[in-house]
């Protein structure tokens, strides 16, 4: 029996229900599944996986186990193909997720907003985007695209790493083979910088780095340390903060509709709370007052390069045509609103 049939059976109060728990007493009986499968790309050794687990634990506790969620990291429900995650949630192959805007942007073009190079600039800029009117609009777009969004988390600012030499200028990237993530905007950015980009999943990236098939990649420092990228020949890191990668907590629409209003509120509030905790974990050691994460990476024998504003500006200038091209595809109005929100941000 598939889930839809199960829900109908539940509504009709059929004895054929396979779910172990049925909520009664509301106008319509709701059939709950024995387990709700929560997808992430990385497991609980990473802030991202931790955030999903916090959500899961909060919901279990507050529903007395009525809603039993389980983490499926490695996008294992779709064989690691992270760019298919959004479609899989929409179709019900995945019940719930804490997912990256990058991975969902092939289906929701507006999510490329966050991949516009050098848009967010810093944590305050990212907060100005996700926590304000722009963030609300993005969640409405995600909802229209067919899933129920509940709140924001964060993977982090994506930094440049490679096995060959220090990168301080776009010229240093010339010809270097980079693994890039699944949205075509990354291909445009790395091509504009003179590098040689190849799109592949995170699962494929690690063996490709190990074998030297690719020489570099870009990911937040918490991904770098948890995945031990220094053991995959990544000896040079450049902190350029070119793209911030937010995460969104979502639920499949049919699953959402099957919950009682009270349980929906529990699931939503738990996502918002887990998001707040997760963002704090993702920023640990990467704030102005505490940059201990940089020391942690250096202690691994890695050279960490911090750019001056002028050096960063050279990268920004080189990718400007890509920014302008994608701003049109994302929607000029949305991009303007986002730029204004970042410009008006409270500077820490
Ligand atoms: O694939 C990546 O680089 C990762 C883990 O950061 C995302 O899923 C966007």
């Amino acid at each position: 029996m598939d889930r839809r049939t199960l829900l109908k059976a539940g509504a009709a109060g059929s004895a054929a229900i396979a779910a172990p728990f049925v909520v009664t007493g509301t106008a319509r009986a709701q059939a709950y599944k024995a387990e709700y499968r929560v997808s992430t790309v990385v497991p609980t050794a990473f802030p991202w996986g931790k955030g999903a687990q916090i959500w899961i634990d909060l919901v279990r506790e507050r529903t007395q186990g009525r809603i039993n969620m389980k983490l499926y990291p490695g996008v294992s429900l779709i064989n690691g193909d992270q760019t298919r995650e959004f479609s899989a949630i929409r179709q019900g192959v995945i019940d719930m997720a804490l997912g990256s805007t990058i991975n969902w942007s092939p289906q929701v073009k507006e999510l490329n907003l966050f991949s516009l190079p050098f848009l967010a600039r810093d944590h305050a800029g990212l907060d100005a985007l996700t926590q304000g009117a722009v963030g609300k609009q993005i969640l409405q777009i995600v909802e229209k695209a067919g899933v129920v969004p509940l709140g924001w988390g964060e993977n982090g600012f994506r930094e440049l790493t490679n096995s060959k030499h220090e990168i301080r200028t776009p010229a240093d990237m010339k010809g270097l083979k980079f693994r890039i993530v699944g949205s075509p905007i990354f291909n445009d950015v790395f091509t504009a910088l003179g590098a040689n980009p190849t799109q592949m999943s995170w699962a494929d990236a690690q063996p490709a780095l190990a074998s030297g098939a690719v020489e570099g990649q870009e990911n937040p420092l918490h991904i770098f340390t948890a995945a031990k990228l220094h053991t995959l020949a990544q000896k040079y890191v450049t902190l350029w903060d070119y793209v911030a990668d937010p995460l969104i907590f979502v639920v499949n629409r049919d699953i959402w509709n099957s919950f009682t209003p009270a349980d929906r509120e529990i699931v939503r509030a738990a996502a918002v709370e887990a998001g707040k905790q997760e963002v704090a974990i993702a920023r640990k050691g990467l704030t102005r007052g505490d940059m201990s994460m940089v020391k942690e990476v250096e202690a691994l024998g890695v050279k960490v390069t911090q750019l001056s504003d002028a050096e960063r500006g050279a990268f920004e200038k080189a990718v400007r045509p890509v920014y302008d091209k994608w701003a049109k595809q994302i929607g000029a109005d949305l991009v303007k609103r986002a730029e204004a929100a970042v410009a008006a941000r409270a500077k820490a």
Side-chain angles (χ1 to χ4, degrees), residues 41-42 48 82 100 102-103 155 158 179-182 200-203 217-220 223 245:
V41 176
V42 289
W48 181 344
Q82 64 213 60
S100 159
I102 294 174
N103 295 330
N155 189 13
R158 302 180 72 88
R179 173 268 174 171
I180 50 157
V181 278
M200 65 183 80
S201 70
W202 174 240
Q217 63 90 47
E218 45 77 62
N219 249 305
I223 296 259
D245 180 10

